[in-house]
Amino acid sequence: MEILRYVFLVFHLFGFAALLGGIFFQLRGKDPVTGSYMVSSAVVQLVTGAGLIWTRISLDLPVAQAKMGVKLALDVLLAVTALVGMRNKQPWAFFAVGVFTAAAAIVAVVWK
């Protein structure tokens, strides 16, 4: 079960890296848009985050319920915003995805 937790953690970080890397790459262009890779990365974040919580609970490791609730809300907002932005090609959605990604990273690192 410990190995599964690390697999979820690695893929959670891959999802974050794909989101953040895609945001920085899109910022180089004139017209940043939300792409399908952002939706896929957001779904990876959501699924692997839930898997991380599940494995921590299964291993009787401590879980900060409030922190995980905030992270779950941010990941859901991120996925929905990315999906809406991909379908409607709205520039506000691209920047909202960037803000939600940064907020999720800050919550993950700073909140103890």
Side-chain angles (χ1 to χ4, degrees):
M1 188 65 86
E2 187 71 21
I3 292 171
L4 183 60
R5 186 171 73 88
Y6 285 122
V7 168
F8 279 134
L9 180 62
V10 166
F11 280 99
H12 195 69
L13 293 174
F14 284 167
F16 171 73
L19 271 169
L20 199 59
I23 289 167
F24 285 137
F25 181 77
Q26 286 285 331
L27 282 174
R28 293 178 24 194
K30 294 181 202 172
D31 214 11
V33 293
T34 306
S36 61
Y37 65 90
M38 288 184 174
V39 176
S40 301
S41 300
V43 170
V44 166
Q45 287 282 99
L46 189 58
V47 170
T48 57
L52 280 168
I53 294 169
W54 172 71
T55 54
R56 288 188 68 85
I57 290 171
S58 298
L59 292 170
D60 291 327
L61 295 172
V63 176
Q65 299 293 338
K67 176 182 177 181
M68 293 303 110
V70 170
K71 282 275 292 162
L72 177 63
L74 284 170
D75 286 344
V76 168
L77 278 172
L78 185 83
V80 169
T81 306
L83 185 61
V84 167
M86 184 186 73
R87 289 191 175 178
N88 297 338
K89 302 293 183 202
Q90 297 290 329
W92 66 265
F94 171 79
F95 294 107
V97 167
V99 168
F100 292 143
T101 302
I106 290 168
V107 168
V109 172
V110 175
W111 193 332
K112 297 289 177 178

